Amino acid sequence: CDPTRVSILQIVLSTDGVTLLQIAHSIGVSVTTVGHHLKRLEKAGLVGDVGGGSAATYISRGMTVGGSFGTFAPRARRAERRG
């Protein structure tokens, strides 16, 4: 798994909703990079957006952190192979 994508997923899972800009500031990468990874995570069904556009808030798709990376690692790996 890409470490940036994992960090983004962890942030989304640990909040009730977060914007692309908030994620970018939190992990110190560009908005473009975050957008790229969020699209991959959306395609894998791991996250979704509410509101759309530049003000979209990203939320998890029925997942919780669950205290370990293992709770979402298998799905993330499958998505990584596809994309």
Side-chain angles (χ1 to χ4, degrees):
C1 282
D2 183 286
T4 302
R5 196 167 302 154
V6 171
S7 295
I8 292 169
L9 185 56
Q10 288 174 327
I11 290 168
V12 174
L13 291 173
S14 67
T15 64
D16 289 331
V18 62
T19 66
L20 186 143
L21 189 58
Q22 290 170 321
I23 296 169
H25 285 280
S26 178
I27 61 174
V29 298
S30 72
V31 171
T32 303
T33 298
V34 173
H36 164 77
H37 288 292
L38 283 170
K39 284 183 184 186
R40 297 258 181 143
L41 291 168
E42 281 184 290
K43 187 175 179 179
L46 300 173
V47 303
D49 65 18
V50 179
S54 61
T57 298
Y58 289 86
I59 58 171
S60 66
R61 292 279 182 192
M63 296 175 58
T64 60
V65 174
S68 74
F69 176 73
T71 53
F72 60 85
R75 265 179 101 176
R77 279 191 212 108
R78 283 194 300 273
E80 191 70 24
R81 284 190 290 252
R82 282 185 263 154

